[in-house]
Amino acid sequence: MEPYFFLSYARRRGPRVLVKRFYDDLCAELRQELRRLRKGKPVPFDRPFLDVQSIQIGQDWNAALGDALGHCRTMLALYTPDYFRSDFCGREWKAFEDRQRSHRELAGVDAKALIPVLWEPVQSIPAGAAHIQYDNLEFGENYAQWGLRRILVADPGGEEYRRIVNLLARQILVAAEHFRIPAAEGLDITAPESAGPFPSATQRAEPGSHALLLVAARTSGTAHHQRSTDPGCHGESPTDWNPYHTESPEPLARRASQLLEERGFTVRTDVVSDVLGATLDEARGQGQVAVLLVEARAAADEPYGSALRAYDRSNHPGSAAIVPCGPDEAGDGPQSKPYWEAVRSVLPLNWAKGAGDPLPLLQSGISSDEFDGALHAVVAKVQNHLFSFLETIKLDSLERSRITSTSLPVLSTVAVARPEPNGPARPQPARPSSDPLPLEQEQDR
């Protein structure tokens, strides 16, 4: 089988219903174009590849992906910010682009079979994908500004959406029918040599980097008596907490862990306890970045309240806190005021420090669409702070060692220095301070 296209997309961002709708619409449009091409004659149609539909339960998913990537005629890449942060999307990209490059070297012509779709706006395309043109005047200004996902949401059966889907179907048809890029057998996209061109090196963590996720949230047992609580948010453990459950089935801690693992981190998840300060100190000493995932309604409850207030009073380089926010809490409704009061009452100092900071280390009011970007941004900032802090500690330790190892003269008497007649006063040696100067890194929160 040679699927007409392989749909490559970032799988961990919200519900997949819109991706599935686009896939179905594109398949239907492609069939129509094939009938027109064959003048109504029956057309054999190799079903395009979509992971959640094409891989069966119990099937070896790596083998299925490798087979589809090695034999599909074209590949559609749904551009989103998460797409270019995903290691697996980068591997899919590389596998197909290698096949397309082989065809270009053999035939001397570009099949244009790697077809980008601007699903969501992307601030910057990484260098590994920048050579592929992804916008065209035919798609219109709304597509360039907002992406196809928003056009689909605004008017699923509208003329603009259907026109863009038709343009994509025609491009697939041209590449699939007029060019047959060489197949690749036995692809293993999990192999080290299969790593793709993104995430970029600057977005990847250093080898051996570790991250600690600490969750402060209620369980279904402690939250059920509060009528304002959505029962789908909680589970048996605080780590089951999912404030975005209407959009994604994954608990927040698991979603955060997967995002960081894609960037090369080794991740450990735990629950906030009364020894939070010691836990953060230990993580800092081991060079680990730490992110607190805090449920606003649970923040003031024990055992979290005292631990979080102590965290707020202390300065822990290498840590940040994210307080997710539901749609009803973000607006002006009755849920929003208690949410913001809870955040300010438990973390007042971090709240104040974040005023005017374009990237505060207390990220509050974070919606589902904002969470992934906020996590990546604060982890990068926290990692820089941690590296600076540890480097300063290292240099300070070396300086202390140098001072104490130098043999200083022992003075039997203490004399007051007096100026020479008609001459300047003799310079006095500076007295070494027993306490290091305050660290700028520790004040930058």
Side-chain angles (χ1 to χ4, degrees):
M1 299 293 288
E2 295 182 344
Y4 262 84
F5 65 82
F6 179 105
L7 190 60
S8 177
Y9 67 102
R11 296 165 182 78
R12 294 189 172 97
R13 186 182 177 89
R16 300 175 187 176
V17 61
L18 294 177
V19 173
K20 181 62 166 60
R21 171 63 187 267
F22 167 65
Y23 169 83
D24 290 338
D25 292 342
L26 186 57
C27 288
E29 194 67 30
L30 189 54
R31 284 195 187 92
Q32 291 291 338
E33 289 298 322
L34 277 167
R35 290 193 188 100
R36 294 189 189 101
L37 181 67
R38 305 291 171 84
K39 298 180 180 179
K41 296 179 181 179
V43 178
F45 186 72
D46 292 345
R47 184 72 175 173
F49 184 90
L50 177 65
D51 59 346
V52 294
Q53 178 168 295
S54 304
I55 301 178
Q56 305 303 313
I57 294 177
Q59 187 176 5
D60 185 330
W61 63 268
N62 184 36
L65 279 176
D67 187 62
L69 280 167
H71 293 86
C72 61
R73 302 190 194 186
T74 65
M75 187 179 92
L76 263 69
L78 294 194
Y79 280 18
T80 65
D82 286 342
Y83 187 83
F84 295 112
R85 298 188 189 110
S86 170
D87 176 62
F88 258 90
C89 290
R91 290 170 182 270
E92 293 170 356
W93 177 286
K94 181 182 185 301
F96 190 84
E97 190 174 39
D98 285 348
R99 290 180 58 205
Q100 185 167 255
R101 185 181 299 109
S102 297
H103 175 270
R104 187 165 54 246
E105 293 171 353
L106 290 171
V109 63
D110 187 1
K112 301 182 183 67
L114 202 167
I115 303 170
V117 178
L118 187 62
W119 190 242
E120 295 176 1
V122 178
Q123 292 292 333
S124 60
I125 306 297
H131 61 287
I132 302 290
Q133 179 66 27
Y134 70 91
D135 192 14
N136 190 294
L137 290 176
E138 286 187 286
F139 289 85
E141 293 183 5
N142 287 334
Y143 176 84
Q145 184 175 2
W146 304 111
L148 187 58
R149 180 181 183 273
R150 185 160 176 176
I151 295 174
L152 169 58
V153 171
D155 192 359
E159 180 181 348
E160 184 176 22
Y161 171 70
R162 289 186 286 108
R163 179 178 58 81
I164 294 173
V165 171
N166 178 259
L167 289 171
L168 292 170
R170 291 185 179 187
Q171 187 172 352
I172 291 170
L173 191 60
V174 169
E177 292 294 319
H178 295 279
F179 306 98
R180 288 296 180 92
I181 63 176
E185 303 292 342
L187 286 179
D188 179 9
I189 65 171
T190 64
E193 63 273 14
S194 300
F198 44 85
S200 66
T202 57
Q203 292 177 309
R204 292 181 184 272
E206 292 294 325
S209 292
H210 290 70
L212 174 63
L213 296 175
L214 293 161
V215 182
R218 295 169 295 174
T219 65
S220 54
T222 57
H224 74 280
H225 63 280
Q226 299 186 20
R227 295 180 181 179
S228 60
T229 299
D230 190 329
C233 287
H234 303 94
E236 295 182 0
S237 167
T239 57
D240 295 328
W241 172 51
N242 183 9
Y244 309 133
H245 70 98
T246 58
E247 301 176 52
S248 173
E250 292 176 325
L252 189 66
R254 186 183 306 165
R255 174 175 171 177
S257 178
Q258 290 170 338
L259 288 167
L260 294 178
E261 285 171 354
E262 287 182 350
R263 288 181 52 187
F265 282 92
T266 299
V267 183
R268 179 168 65 91
T269 302
D270 207 340
V271 177
V272 169
S273 69
D274 56 357
V275 292
L276 174 61
T279 300
L280 292 173
D281 288 342
E282 181 182 0
R284 180 184 62 189
Q286 296 175 355
Q288 299 178 3
V289 298
V291 178
L292 280 66
L293 303 176
V294 181
E295 180 187 8
R297 293 183 182 278
D301 299 340
E302 297 304 329
Y304 303 133
S306 56
L308 291 173
R309 290 188 182 94
Y311 167 79
D312 187 60
R313 293 191 299 269
S314 304
N315 184 24
H316 289 278
S319 69
I322 298 178
V323 189
C325 182
D328 53 342
E329 296 169 326
D332 298 325
Q335 302 287 349
S336 60
K337 186 177 180 180
Y339 168 86
W340 293 108
E341 287 179 348
V343 177
R344 284 194 292 264
S345 65
V346 177
L347 301 167
L349 297 178
N350 277 272
W351 177 280
K353 291 174 185 175
D357 189 335
L359 182 58
L361 291 178
L362 170 60
Q363 292 278 315
S364 50
I366 301 301
S367 67
S368 178
D369 287 341
E370 298 169 329
F371 178 80
D372 297 0
L375 177 67
H376 285 301
V378 296
V379 165
K381 183 173 182 177
V382 163
Q383 196 174 28
N384 288 336
H385 282 192
L386 182 60
F387 287 166
S388 297
F389 175 80
L390 294 177
E391 185 65 22
T392 303
I393 292 296
K394 179 180 177 181
L395 292 175
D396 181 67
S397 176
L398 291 174
E399 180 65 15
R400 282 170 173 268
S401 175
R402 185 188 66 80
I403 292 173
T404 56
S405 63
T406 302
S407 57
L408 298 177
V410 178
L411 303 180
S412 57
T413 59
V414 178
V416 178
R418 296 180 180 179
E420 296 277 352
N422 301 323
R426 293 178 181 175
Q428 296 297 305
R431 181 182 178 183
S433 173
S434 59
D435 297 320
L437 294 176
L439 303 176
E440 291 184 6
Q441 291 77 9
E442 292 197 21
Q443 306 305 319
D444 186 10
R445 280 190 59 82

